Amino acid sequence: MAFVRAIVQAYAQRGLDADAALAKAQITTPAGAAEAGYVSALQFERLCFAAMQELDDEAPGWFHRRLPWGSYGMLARASQGAPTLGVALTRWCRHHGLLTSDVQLRLAVAGDRASVQLTGQLPATAPREFALLSLLRNVHGLACWWTDSRIPLQSADFPFAAPPHAEVYARLFPGPVVFDAPAAALRFDARYLDLPLRRDNAALDQMLHRALPLMVRPYRRDRLLALRVRQLLQADLAHTAQSLAAALALSPRSLHRQLAAEGMALQALKDEQRQARAVELLQRSRRPVKQIAREVGFGSDKSFARAFRLWTGQTPEACRNDGRADAQAGARPANAA
């Protein structure tokens, strides 16, 4: 209901009545109802659709000037031909500055972390929380749609205190939410910026006929899921399906299903990392085979030896000897007889 009141406030600023829009959305709760009130995503979508058309403003009450109906669709079209998500987001942020100077959006990359940062000053009459939340959710939803990928967030930052309805943010932003932050921003793995755009112009036309679900739709597919699973296993081979799923904000069933869609299996990824770690320990340390077996997750050296032979076609001892032979060969002078 806090967001419903933000829409009603936009009508009031124009000297208009929101009753017709509320009726179209089948929202009967008075706008002054308790903060804890809720409406469904579909009801809110209908309310926003009616308000944006009736007010001819896709940013209802956020900025000093209206953004006429179709403004955000124009931004999406202007970035549609980009080869990668990084190029598309850079264009989208730059073009947003042509619509309003009240806020500035910028894509930044530092090492393996990317961020979309939002700065500027909204009008004093603007519904600040709703505007900042919507702008960031719009960027994230469009990025996920373009790449057909769930892009998990390392954090979603907001420069205001946690509101009474803070639990709603967990549904809108897949990752940690930080309140009282210095500025509004989304932070995520920079490798997502290299993903190609997977939607053509026909898909864009269809999406723009009903774009508002992007504000709340959670994407399930993650184009970098296998890579992220590998990283977690490299850090801790003791991970189970349950612990991996929890770290990735998925259910175990969804984890298995999404990996299968990528042609991968969790057990194969675990074996891949266990093999790599075992080979490293065998060839670069003098630890007993029994100790290495335990470290890579086996209860006995015999079961480890069987699995290792299946992985590599040789015994752990043979692998260790090969590593020593290679090291000795590399240590010989180039002119050795």
Side-chain angles (χ1 to χ4, degrees):
M1 285 305 300
F3 304 146
V4 171
R5 281 195 291 277
I7 298 294
V8 173
Q9 177 184 331
Y11 275 89
Q13 289 173 2
R14 304 277 180 86
L16 301 174
D17 195 309
D19 287 350
L22 291 168
K24 289 178 182 178
Q26 297 181 336
I27 298 175
T28 56
T29 306
E35 174 75 13
Y38 290 91
V39 295
S40 71
L42 180 59
Q43 285 177 299
F44 192 68
E45 177 191 345
R46 289 171 174 168
L47 175 63
C48 287
F49 186 82
M52 290 176 181
Q53 286 199 316
E54 291 175 10
L55 300 175
D56 194 24
D57 189 356
E58 290 194 340
W62 303 352
F63 307 130
H64 282 99
R65 54 175 289 186
R66 292 183 300 106
L67 299 193
W69 180 256
S71 295
Y72 280 109
M74 180 184 66
L75 287 188
R77 292 186 188 282
S79 303
Q80 175 67 13
T84 65
L85 177 62
V87 175
L89 286 180
T90 298
R91 292 178 183 175
W92 194 94
C93 292
R94 182 173 66 248
H95 294 155
H96 195 278
L98 301 177
L99 298 181
T100 178
S101 60
D102 289 344
V103 296
Q104 298 80 46
L105 291 114
R106 184 174 73 93
L107 176 66
V109 180
D112 60 356
R113 172 173 288 194
S115 62
V116 176
Q117 303 167 1
L118 195 158
T119 57
Q121 187 67 42
L122 294 172
T125 56
R128 184 166 177 256
E129 180 204 352
F130 181 52
L132 296 181
L133 175 148
S134 300
L135 281 167
L136 293 187
R137 188 66 193 92
N138 192 357
V139 172
H140 185 249
L142 184 59
C144 292
W145 181 84
W146 260 330
T147 57
D148 188 25
S149 177
R150 178 180 182 268
I151 302 177
L153 298 174
Q154 295 170 348
S155 73
D157 302 349
F158 296 95
F160 45 76
H165 48 272
E167 75 278 0
V168 173
Y169 282 70
R171 306 181 194 178
L172 300 175
F173 298 97
V177 176
V178 179
F179 294 105
D180 289 320
L186 297 177
R187 307 185 192 282
F188 54 95
D189 191 319
R191 282 169 296 197
Y192 285 96
L193 297 177
D194 295 327
L195 291 177
L197 271 59
R198 298 179 180 272
R199 309 289 190 171
D200 59 16
N201 289 331
L204 179 62
D205 289 340
Q206 185 176 6
M207 183 273 287
L208 290 177
H209 283 300
R210 191 163 178 255
L212 286 169
L214 289 182
M215 295 289 289
V216 294
R217 174 186 294 158
Y219 272 76
R220 297 187 176 184
R221 179 199 298 270
D222 185 347
R223 296 283 180 180
L224 297 184
L225 182 61
L227 175 61
R228 296 173 65 218
V229 169
R230 284 190 179 98
Q231 291 177 325
L232 290 170
L233 290 172
Q234 286 172 359
D236 185 1
L237 281 172
H239 268 302
T240 64
Q242 288 72 23
S243 63
L244 286 169
L248 296 166
L250 296 169
S251 68
R253 183 177 180 182
S254 294
L255 174 63
H256 287 294
R257 183 175 62 249
Q258 291 184 41
L259 286 174
E262 295 183 29
M264 305 296 295
L266 179 56
Q267 188 59 51
L269 290 173
K270 292 181 72 173
D271 287 344
E272 172 189 300
Q273 297 306 315
R274 293 160 92 187
Q275 175 187 341
R277 180 62 174 155
V279 170
E280 179 185 14
L281 292 172
L282 285 167
Q283 296 187 348
R284 297 190 180 184
S285 78
R286 296 186 176 182
R287 298 185 194 179
V289 171
K290 186 175 293 187
Q291 183 180 344
I292 293 174
R294 287 196 300 269
E295 183 159 340
V296 297
F298 288 88
S300 71
D301 54 336
K302 290 183 179 180
S303 59
F304 169 61
R306 284 195 298 269
F308 195 85
R309 185 181 287 274
L310 286 174
W311 296 338
T312 66
Q314 62 181 173
T315 65
E317 291 79 6
C319 177
R320 170 164 278 173
N321 291 334
D322 287 349
R324 288 175 180 172
D326 291 342
Q328 290 173 358
R332 291 174 184 159
N335 61 348

